[in-house]
Amino acid sequence: MALSDGPLKVCIVGSGNWGSAVARIIGNNVKNLQKFAPTVNMWVFEENINGRKLTEIINTDHENVKYLPGCKLPDNVVAIPDLREAVQDADLLVFVVPHQFIHQVCDEITGQVPSKALGISLIKGIDHGPEGLKLISDIIREKMGIDISVLMGANIASEVAADKFCETTIGCKVLENGLLFKELLQTPNFRITVVDDADAVEVCGALKNVVAMGAGFCDGLGYGDNTKAAVIRLGLMEMIAFAKIFCTGQVSIATFLESCGIADLVTTCYAGRNRLVAEAFVKTGKSLEELEKEMLHGQKLQGPQTSAEVHQILQKKEMLDKFPLFTAIYEICYEGRPVADIISCLQNHPEHK
């Protein structure tokens, strides 16, 4: 790793709920660590909030009133609406945008950052390519030619922003780079484990949102915690099986016992936005698109789109029957399959045979 000789410049690419919570951590940490430059750029997609620009509000009032209201950001976090300007000469890039935008973001900033820059992706989603699974980190790595680590864990953004204790996992291909990002991000209440099983860490972060849709469907149908526990367990089994088949790197079962695995799955199936919207989908009869607009205030629902990516990958390999829970969730989201079918899916799951 041969980064710049001076303090390392950090740019956060994204400024939603999670991006703003992470900006709070990084902004506070760099004030006390000479290794990092004291000002942190944060790319903000410009919006007008009650006649004021969101960047102006963040830079003046130090609060992202749309995506993380009530939480003060450090004054050294600078909101910049122009993406290319925000990343200019950055040594460390923290990617935290909805996964459907990553191609566009990478295309815009390629060539704007030093070739020796390092990145970390906090993006929870996957893509598909000719060979099957395409990880978000792979897209960034290929388009930008830089090393990418990933961070995934049981991290509800509002709780992290409120400095409530939690754990998270960094997966890296180069241990030295993973440890550098741990130094940038760790606090007494945000504890980080670094593992070299980066692909499995990233797959966990994406697939848990699919399972959470199933948990929300069961909540909407009025089933109890025992049923939800079954969704979590069977969902975890499908997550492990998917990772073992489609990840090109090593996959260790131990990774699923880290925060990025079972811990993130549990918290998302009880408290995440995907569970919340899936429950409302059952109870209101409204479409997922309507509910996303009504309930998430500009945030994106990741579970359905990830289920669609997973479905295409499995269909191509003729393996839909081996992943009945993932398949049922996709078909409920996109093909009008009755939500109540999720129970028969659980009853007849191959894990019980």
Side-chain angles (χ1 to χ4, degrees), residues 315-334:
Q315 198 167 40
K316 202 168 198 176
K317 299 285 187 183
E318 298 183 345
M319 299 184 79
L320 291 173
D321 59 321
K322 301 227 182 316
F323 295 85
L325 184 59
F326 288 170
T327 301
I329 290 165
Y330 166 79
E331 290 175 347
I332 291 166
C333 287
Y334 289 102

Side-chain angles (χ1 to χ4, degrees), residues 5 42 50 54 62 103 165 178 200 240 318 339 349:
D5 296 331
M42 179 170 72
N50 298 324
L54 183 55
H62 307 295
H103 286 277
F165 180 85
I240 293 169
E318 298 183 345
V339 181
H349 200 282

Side-chain angles (χ1 to χ4, degrees), residues 115-137:
S115 58
K116 291 172 183 169
L118 302 174
I120 189 165
S121 171
L122 281 60
I123 299 169
K124 295 180 173 176
I126 55 173
D127 204 344
H128 67 279
E131 305 304 312
L133 175 66
K134 190 91 165 171
L135 297 172
I136 302 302
S137 62

Side-chain angles (χ1 to χ4, degrees), residues 256-274:
F256 293 86
L257 300 178
E258 296 289 348
S259 182
C260 62
I262 187 65
D264 195 10
L265 183 59
V266 168
T267 199
T268 306
C269 286
Y270 275 91
R273 70 182 79 155
N274 291 277

Side-chain angles (χ1 to χ4, degrees), residues 97-104 123 292 300-302 305:
V97 293
H99 80 272
Q100 51 267 47
F101 301 131
I102 195 59
H103 286 277
Q104 181 184 334
I123 299 169
E292 182 183 69
K300 294 296 178 187
L301 194 62
Q302 301 293 345
Q305 186 165 344

Side-chain angles (χ1 to χ4, degrees), residues 15 27 33 50 70 81 94 108 170 178 187 217 242 247 290 304 315 333:
S15 57
L33 296 167
N50 298 324
V94 180
E108 192 167 336
I170 287 178
T187 74
F217 293 151
F242 187 93
C247 286
E290 283 179 274
Q315 198 167 40
C333 287

